[in-house]
Amino acid sequence: MTTADESPYATVTTRVTVRDLLPRDVPSCTWSGSATHLRHVERELTRAAAGEVDYLAVCTPVDLPVAIGGIDYQVSDEAGTLWQLAVLPALQSCGLGTLLVRAAEERIRYRGLRRAELAVEEDNPRARALYERLGYVAYGREPDAWDEEGPDGSIRRHETMCVLMRKSL
């Protein structure tokens, strides 16, 4: 840990690892979304067991996920599609998203694919800027929608417009 004299701030450095997200990790990922979202993640882990997707976790030294995200190999024959990328809000802008995307790209290359694709909501310029820094280029737009759970447990449909991005690997 590094501190400046009399400063209330400190810089903390710790090692993280990237591994497959496991069913036992899901209860530790409440920061990534609602109960509805976590049920969806659990379903995707079933697809991971079948080899249709990879679902990754960036973990702390005590093996707690602080960033998660998936790669779907069923969307395109020629690309891995990154989706559901999330970083623990308190640790955003610390390089974990970059690490997660690079690990996902490595998995895509391992499968023999040479392109990664993703969709980012138009109203999420911070995420889009990250993807652009990592070499992703916009190639189109399309609407997307999913169910969201409110704090009271009610379900509503979230509709948005996404920018489609890709990167050659």
Side-chain angles (χ1 to χ4, degrees):
M1 177 167 43
T2 310
T3 61
D5 292 338
E6 306 298 322
S7 172
Y9 302 101
T11 300
V12 177
T13 304
T14 189
R15 291 189 182 276
V16 293
T17 57
V18 180
R19 62 168 173 77
D20 290 325
L21 185 73
L22 303 171
R24 67 176 165 84
D25 296 318
V26 174
S28 301
C29 296
T30 56
W31 52 265
S32 71
S34 68
T36 299
H37 168 73
L38 293 175
R39 284 191 296 276
H40 185 72
V41 171
E42 287 174 330
R43 283 194 303 273
E44 295 305 326
L45 292 179
T46 302
R47 291 183 64 214
E52 297 174 3
V53 304
D54 282 323
Y55 215 113
L56 304 178
V58 177
C59 297
T60 66
V62 294
D63 208 31
L64 287 174
V66 291
I68 61 173
I71 312 148
D72 195 325
Y73 301 104
Q74 304 298 303
V75 175
S76 169
D77 291 336
E78 300 173 359
T81 302
L82 283 65
W83 97 119
Q84 293 187 347
L85 303 173
V87 176
L88 180 72
L91 296 177
Q92 290 177 355
S93 298
C94 294
L96 298 173
T98 297
L99 179 63
L100 179 62
V101 171
R102 287 183 176 155
E105 292 169 352
E106 187 60 35
R107 291 283 182 103
I108 292 167
R109 278 191 289 274
Y110 183 77
R111 293 260 185 144
L113 301 171
R114 295 291 169 242
R115 191 173 72 238
E117 298 179 347
L118 56 84
V120 60
E121 288 184 81
E122 285 184 336
D123 65 354
N124 191 350
R126 185 176 180 184
R128 182 173 176 176
L130 167 65
Y131 303 139
E132 288 173 344
R133 278 194 308 276
L134 295 176
Y136 287 78
V137 177
Y139 68 92
R141 307 169 66 230
E142 77 178 14
D144 199 357
W146 55 85
D147 290 336
E148 283 187 331
E149 184 175 340
D152 63 353
S154 64
I155 304 295
R156 70 174 183 85
R157 193 74 175 159
H158 176 80
E159 295 183 6
T160 188
M161 183 60 71
C162 290
V163 176
L164 304 175
M165 304 183 81
R166 67 172 64 131
K167 176 182 177 180
S168 295
L169 302 176

